[in-house]
């Protein structure tokens, strides 16, 4: 067991290292940020001073070594544009993204599971067919397009909620979040719904498949034979069994919610890390791009590592298979 | 009752005729009305995109033909040059109908090109993994698993962050984001096929290894590959649109559908919906029709579901 965990952690470290090489060299080979930062009438000496100040005059290997040395100490370089540490900028924008992703996850569970339950219990009803058709659309419509439609419908035409921004922040137990004020919630609703749509479709499909499978099982028949009410069978016995896989998958999707939030944040001008990334790419702010990508890689590698370890505890076959290969 | 007998008679007559696999496939495919309509819609879109220069009133990227006087006209307005702009015009006076058809050309080219290249690369790598086995296979599959643990959209975003803008770079980013899906599919199918008797028979006959792989195993891997290919192409088109919308995909000089939607976004809050909405509908029709065709192909090509 310990051997397995150590091996997995070493692998994870290797992945993070490889990604740092790819990301750093990839990002640093494109474009020249200096010309965006010095004024157009700057002379050659000014340009050279700027290059030296940004550390761009050193060979790229040396730049990478400095980056790696800094990264080990939690320093991912300074933003070219803001002059602040890139890591600090990203951490500053992270709560907004987490709040959005978390709300989307809750929405997906609260909306998706009941709809999936209904579609699984009455697979032939018209409403169920409607739900399933809607979930196909949820899968194939591009997120940004749905976001535009949501803005047009709810913000421009109906004027129910504001279209962009984060709104007032409330404070609760030391956390600052839009979840705690009415204005914040009204700003949060559209982006969270937009981000959640894909996951709602996923939750519907998973729950429906689970329910349909569970309803034919012996324990359900036994519960029926025992004379339990349908309500109790579904809410207690069936739900208990299908919730485990559904919640596991939805939890795993949290990482991809953070990845997708790039799109949603840009459309709704939500001040999170995703919007920061897009702005940084457009302004060639390399340290911020590199820092964001590294944090996302770290995040995904961590999620995968935790899942692998949990699975190997729950299911020893995973561990044995790994040793065989 | 007579209906049933005539049905069985019909079925008997059908089975008496020798049906090639392709004929059976065709018959089964067109059984689904939704898939038939979706295929029709997709073919019309492709045709419109190919014929764009001949069926649009203006070339939206020839500056001589665009007049700023026509900017932001609502649908149905008459242009300065006399023709009717049925879908309105965008911020710089381009006829949206023309812009959409020209945009579709770029979007479809990028989507199809990246789909085909990713398919070829993924297929080659998947075949190598399945046939080499051992350490090579373990190594390749590690990379595939690793890549599939990141969402394709995130991989593509990372790539454009590193590569920059441009048609060639977007195609490269999409290929890198998608090859692993094909490799996984091919390897899984090829492994199953490799264990079958016809492969053993071919090997006994002394047929060369490459011939066995390319002429015997590969054709039998095509069905799942086609299904994955349609779905991935749809997702490539929508990914490209997403990246272009974010401003990190194609530049303004290569106005794909995503760029058009992005240009219209700033006008949306002031109620000029058409600049974003109509390109969006075109994108939607394209992506949804490909997905519906792919969904049905999966049912038709799956031998387990065959009647």
């Amino acid at each position: 067991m310990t051997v397995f965990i150590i091996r997995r952690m070493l692998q994870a470290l290797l992945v993070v290292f490889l990604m740092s090489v790819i990301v750093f060299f990839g990002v640093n080979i494109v474009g020249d940020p200096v010309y965006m930062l010095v004024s157009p009438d700057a002379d050659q000496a000014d340009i050279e001073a700027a290059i030296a100040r940004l550390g761009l005059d050193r060979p790229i290997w040396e730049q990478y070594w400095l980056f790696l040395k800094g990264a080990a100490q939690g320093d991912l370089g300074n933003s070219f544009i803001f002059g602040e540490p890139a890591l600090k900028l990203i951490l500053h924008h992270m709560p907004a993204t987490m709040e959005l992703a978390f709300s989307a996850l809750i929405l997906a569970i609260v909306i998706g599971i009941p709809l999936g339950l209904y579609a699984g219990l009455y697979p032939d009803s018209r409403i169920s067919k409607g739900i399933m058709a809607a979930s196909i659309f949820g899968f194939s419509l591009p997120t940004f397009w749905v976001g535009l439609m949501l803005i047009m419908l709810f913000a421009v035409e109906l004027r129910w909620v504001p279209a962009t921004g984060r709104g007032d922040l409330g404070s609760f137990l030391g956390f600052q979040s839009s979840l705690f004020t009415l204005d914040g919630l009204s700003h949060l609703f559209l982006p969270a719904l937009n981000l959640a749509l894909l996951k709602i479709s996923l939750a519907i499909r998973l729950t429906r498949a689970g329910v349909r499978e569970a309803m034919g099982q012996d324990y359900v028949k036994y519960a029926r034979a025992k004379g339990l009410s349908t309500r109790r069978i579904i809410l207690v016995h069936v739900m208990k069994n299908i919730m485990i896989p559904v919640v596991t998958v939805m939890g795993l999707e949290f990482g991809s919610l953070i990845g997708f939030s790039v799109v949603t944040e840009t459309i709704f001008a939500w001040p999170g890390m995703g919007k920061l990334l897009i702005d940084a790419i457009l302004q060639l702010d390399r340290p911020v791009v590199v820092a964001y990508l590294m944090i996302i890689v770290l995040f995904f590698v961590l999620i995968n590592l935790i899942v692998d370890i949990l699975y190997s505890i729950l299911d020893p076959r995973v561990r044995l298979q790994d040793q065989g290969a | 009752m007579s209906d049933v007998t005539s049905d069985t008679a019909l079925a008997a007559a059908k089975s008496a005729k020798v049906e090639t696999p392709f004929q059976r496939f065709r018959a089964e495919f067109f059984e689904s009305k939704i898939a038939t309509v979706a295929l029709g819609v997709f073919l019309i879109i492709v045709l419109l995109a190919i014929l764009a220069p001949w069926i649009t009133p203006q070339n939206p990227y020839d500056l001589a033909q665009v007049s700023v006087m026509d900017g932001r006209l609502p649908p149905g307005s008459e242009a300065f040059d006399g023709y009717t702009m049925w879908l309105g015009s965008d911020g710089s006076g381009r006829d949206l109908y023309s812009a959409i058809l020209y945009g579709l050309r770029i979007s479809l080219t990028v989507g199809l090109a990246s789909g085909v290249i990713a398919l070829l690369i993924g297929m080659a790598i998947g075949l190598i993994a399945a046939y080499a086995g051992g350490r090579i296979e373990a190594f390749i599959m590690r990379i595939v698993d690793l890549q599939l643990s990141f969402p394709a959209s995130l991989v593509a975003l990372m790539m454009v962050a590193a590569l920059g803008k441009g048609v060639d770079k977007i195609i490269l980013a999409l290929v890198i984001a998608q090859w692993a899906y094909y490799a996984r599919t091919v390897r899984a199918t090829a492994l199953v096929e490799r264990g079958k008797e016809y492969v053993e028979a071919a090997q006994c006959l002394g047929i060369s290894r490459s011939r066995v792989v390319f002429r015997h195993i590969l054709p039998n891997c095509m069905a799942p590959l086609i299904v994955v290919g349609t779905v991935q192409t749809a997702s490539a088109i929508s990914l490209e649109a997403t990246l272009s919308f974010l401003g990190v995909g194609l530049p303004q000089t290569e106005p794909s559908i995503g760029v058009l939607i992005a240009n219209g976004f700033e006008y949306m809050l002031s109620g000029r919906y058409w600049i974003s909405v109509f390109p969006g509908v075109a994108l939607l029709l394209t992506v949804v029709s490909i997905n519906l065709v792919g969904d049905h192909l999966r049912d038709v090509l799956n031998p387990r579901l065959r009647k």
Side-chain angles (χ1 to χ4, degrees), chain A residues 11 26 30 140 145 148 282 304, chain B residues 142 149 162 247 261 265 284 291:
Chain A
Q11 272 174 18
V30 204
S140 42
W145 160 251
L148 289 182
L282 295 178
N304 287 331
Chain B
R142 256 290 132 75
S149 67
I261 298 174
F265 184 39
L284 220 67
N291 270 335

Side-chain angles (χ1 to χ4, degrees), chain A residues 271-287:
Chain A
M273 329 191 270
K275 183 152 173 26
L276 184 71
L277 171 74
I278 295 295
D279 292 345
I281 293 178
L282 295 178
Q283 295 167 325
L284 290 180
D285 195 352
R286 291 175 191 167

